[in-house]
């Protein structure tokens, strides 16, 4: 391979590896979530939560979340005030550590 062609390929490789790509979309970010359980879908392990604002992430809203690491049938009853850990990646979002707020 000639030097100019090799140099061009090297530059392209450097630029491509420096650009954000699919790997960045997999970076997981976590946030504290506080709200009230509205309903649940045990067959999909989802709960719907009416939650407070999460600064710089989302306004207060009612939204369905998959729960990982816990069965929704074992969580506090509908109407319970809870805290949880919200996980967000480029592929989706889910809750962990759902507990009652006293």
């Amino acid at each position: 391979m000639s030097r100019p062609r090799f140099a061009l390929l090297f530059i392209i490789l450097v630029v491509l590896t420096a650009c954000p790509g699919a790997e960045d979309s997999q970076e997981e970010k976590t946030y504290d979530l506080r709200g009230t359980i509205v309903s649940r879908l045990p067959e999909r392990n989802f709960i719907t939560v009416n939650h407070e604002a999460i600064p710089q992430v989302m306004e207060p809203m009612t939204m369905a979340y998959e729960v990982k690491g816990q069965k929704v049938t074992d969580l506090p009853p509908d109407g319970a005030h809870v805290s949880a850990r919200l996980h967000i990646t480029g592929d989706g979002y889910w809750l962990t550590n759902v507990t009652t707020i006293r």
Side-chain angles (χ1 to χ4, degrees):
M1 183 179 296
S2 68
R3 269 186 183 237
R5 183 178 256 174
F6 177 77
L8 179 60
L9 288 174
F10 179 76
I11 291 169
I12 291 171
L13 179 62
V14 168
V15 169
L16 288 175
T17 58
C19 292
E23 290 179 25
D24 290 339
S25 70
Q26 298 305 313
E27 181 181 337
E28 183 176 317
K29 296 184 180 183
T30 61
Y31 306 91
D32 292 324
L33 178 139
R34 294 172 61 97
T36 303
I37 296 177
V38 175
S39 63
R40 62 194 74 221
L41 265 171
E43 62 276 6
R44 293 189 58 209
N45 214 48
F46 274 65
I47 58 173
T48 299
V49 181
N50 179 356
H51 63 79
E52 299 172 358
I54 302 170
Q56 283 98 39
V57 178
M58 65 179 76
E59 296 296 316
M61 64 180 64
T62 301
M63 193 166 161
Y65 294 95
E66 179 181 8
V67 177
K68 293 188 178 181
Q70 296 171 282
K71 292 182 180 180
V72 299
T73 53
D74 296 337
L75 296 179
D78 293 356
H81 299 286
V82 296
S83 66
R85 197 75 184 144
L86 171 62
H87 301 257
I88 300 175
T89 68
D91 290 336
Y93 53 89
W94 64 92
L95 297 179
T96 60
N97 302 324
V98 180
T99 58
T100 302
I101 299 173
R102 302 209 187 272

